[in-house]
Amino acid sequence: MTIKDVAQTLEEFAPLANAEDFDNVGLLLGNYHTQVTGILVTLDTLERTVDEAIAKNCNLIVSFHPIIFSGLKKITGKNYVERVVLKAIQNNIAIYAIHTALDNMPHGVSKGMCDALNLEQRKILIPKKGAIKKLTTYVPKNEVITVREALFKAGAGNIGNYEECSFSTKGKGTFKGDEHSNPSVGNRGELHIEKEVQLNITFEARLQSRILSALFAAHSYEEVAYEITTLDNANQNIGMGMIGELPKALEELDFLNQVKKAFQAEGIRYSALRGQPVKKVAVLGGSGSFAIDAAKAAGADALITADLKYHQFYEAEGQIVLADIGHYESEQYTKNILTDFLTKKFTNFAVVLSDENTNPIKYL
């Protein structure tokens, strides 16, 4: 098994196209053709993580956070990032990062947080925009079923809980090929009128190459007429954070104590209490201040996240309880999610969950 095999499997689980634009995901270090001896799964990649990989005969580290986030102009070992990269290169250790590609999936970090709190009736808190596209193409009447089924097979036409969704309109298409053309219907140099069907079908943006390949393979025309547009519609199945409900409403302090226990948090920073029970809860792992407005708009009683700044606690405005449980604490379940997934996919291969606690924050 090669690194490419593992990468392709991970990208089915968390497509890199779903990562945020600012992020740095995928294979950060290594060669896709390298044979894998073992996989070490971790939240962060530090020097001691590389040491652990060496000790456990793992030459691929699958990390939630990317060790290389911004550009490296030199690698001299002057900081921990450069030292990690140097040690990994010297010991032929590859590093793959998944980060927001997994954040945006319904089975990612938010699921781990929801599971810890036993939240029910879960929904994506901030559905991803720009992730849905529409294909409009023109197909000879007698080829519509063939082309449509090929597009469905490639992943087009899925909307929420529904599959094989499309819309068709009958019409007439005209074209005239020049002297270099080789038309499948009609004659070169003559205007041809063909009974056609306009086929409209939506698809996830990440599937565009696959969708177009299927279209070109199934369509008989030498030049296939098509249009692709990006829709404003948000993808309700992909996005940041989740919102759900507790099995039973809790008083605010009881709820915060339950959160502290569930996430093994050393401490929780929270906004002013409202004096109202908590039932509806929003979660977003990592730095989640950008979700405050979305959580309030969704009617959440509380938002569990991390890295809130002083003035951001004021944004609660008596409408919601903001609870900062710590960055590591909010994302700690990702390595278990990844380990479970890889273990099921590669049943006869060593997938090791890192023993290292990489939380850089200590508490008195």
Side-chain angles (χ1 to χ4, degrees):
M1 184 175 66
T2 65
I3 289 174
K4 186 175 182 178
D5 295 325
V6 178
Q8 288 177 336
T9 301
L10 285 168
E11 285 160 31
E12 291 174 7
F13 187 63
L16 300 185
N18 289 340
E20 297 300 305
D21 292 339
F22 65 81
D23 208 0
N24 188 30
V25 292
L27 186 64
L28 306 185
L29 196 66
N31 188 310
Y32 278 114
H33 303 295
T34 300
Q35 292 291 320
V36 179
T37 60
I39 304 169
L40 180 71
V41 182
T42 182
L43 186 67
D44 304 283
T45 304
L46 306 177
E47 286 182 85
R48 63 178 184 270
T49 312
V50 178
D51 289 334
E52 184 181 9
I54 296 167
K56 295 178 177 177
N57 194 34
C58 296
N59 66 344
L60 173 61
I61 295 173
V62 174
S63 177
F64 179 69
H65 289 130
I67 183 62
I68 303 173
F69 197 77
S70 54
L72 291 177
K73 294 185 177 180
K74 297 179 181 179
I75 305 178
T76 61
K78 69 178 181 181
N79 57 45
Y80 82 98
V81 173
E82 293 182 8
R83 289 192 294 274
V84 168
V85 172
L86 275 174
K87 178 169 282 192
I89 292 173
Q90 290 166 349
N91 291 277
N92 296 314
I93 305 291
I95 301 173
Y96 184 100
I98 204 162
H99 208 206
T100 59
L102 184 58
D103 278 341
N104 275 314
M105 299 305 292
H107 46 253
V109 60
S110 297
K111 179 186 183 299
M113 296 179 74
C114 287
D115 288 348
L117 296 172
N118 296 314
L119 297 187
E120 302 169 344
Q121 301 181 44
R122 304 172 187 181
K123 294 181 181 179
I124 298 295
L125 179 62
I126 308 175
K128 192 170 181 62
K129 294 182 179 180
I132 301 177
K133 296 196 174 190
K134 183 176 77 171
L135 168 68
T136 300
T137 190
Y138 307 86
V139 187
K141 185 178 177 181
N142 63 345
E143 295 180 13
V144 174
I145 293 175
T146 301
V147 172
R148 186 169 55 203
E149 288 181 350
L151 294 172
F152 288 157
K153 188 175 181 180
N158 296 333
I159 303 175
N161 296 323
Y162 294 84
E163 300 177 353
E164 300 188 2
C165 305
S166 68
F167 184 80
S168 303
T169 307
K170 294 180 180 179
K172 293 181 179 180
T174 65
F175 51 84
K176 182 170 70 173
D178 63 18
E179 65 272 19
H180 303 294
S181 66
N182 185 27
S184 57
V185 291
N187 298 311
R188 183 185 303 163
E190 296 179 3
L191 178 66
H192 180 78
I193 301 175
E194 180 73 19
K195 290 182 179 180
E196 294 181 338
V197 173
Q198 183 191 74
L199 181 61
N200 298 278
I201 190 165
T202 58
F203 61 92
E204 289 186 28
R206 66 183 178 87
L207 299 175
Q208 181 167 321
S209 295
R210 188 190 304 178
I211 298 299
L212 289 179
S213 294
L215 172 64
F216 299 150
H219 206 298
S220 66
Y221 284 0
E222 182 179 27
E223 293 289 346
V224 180
Y226 70 95
E227 305 155 24
I228 290 180
T229 52
T230 301
L231 304 182
D232 287 335
N233 307 47
N235 191 328
Q236 301 297 322
N237 298 317
I238 299 173
M240 287 284 185
M242 275 190 172
I243 186 164
E245 294 188 1
L246 294 168
K248 181 181 178 181
L250 295 173
E251 295 301 318
E252 289 166 314
L253 285 177
D254 291 337
F255 168 72
L256 290 172
N257 278 309
Q258 179 175 311
V259 170
K260 183 178 180 180
K261 181 178 179 181
F263 290 93
Q264 300 178 332
E266 295 291 330
I268 297 179
R269 299 187 304 141
Y270 59 91
S271 61
L273 301 181
R274 306 175 306 157
Q276 299 176 29
V278 174
K279 176 69 173 177
K280 200 169 187 179
V281 180
V283 299
L284 199 151
S287 304
S289 61
F290 64 90
I292 294 174
D293 287 341
K296 289 194 292 186
D301 300 310
L303 169 64
I304 310 302
T305 187
D307 301 342
L308 296 179
K309 296 180 180 180
Y310 177 86
H311 290 96
Q312 289 167 340
F313 283 97
Y314 286 125
E315 295 178 30
E317 296 182 317
Q319 301 174 41
I320 191 171
V321 175
L322 303 177
D324 184 334
I325 64 172
H327 197 114
Y328 176 90
E329 288 78 6
S330 69
E331 294 181 335
Q332 61 185 293
Y333 300 106
T334 55
K335 61 181 183 179
N336 300 84
I337 291 170
L338 288 167
T339 302
D340 290 344
F341 169 74
L342 289 170
T343 300
K344 290 175 183 176
K345 284 291 183 178
F346 304 111
T347 54
N348 298 317
F349 197 79
V351 179
V352 181
L353 178 64
S354 174
D355 295 328
E356 293 288 336
N357 182 330
T358 57
N359 190 355
I361 299 173
K362 308 301 177 187
Y363 298 85
L364 283 174

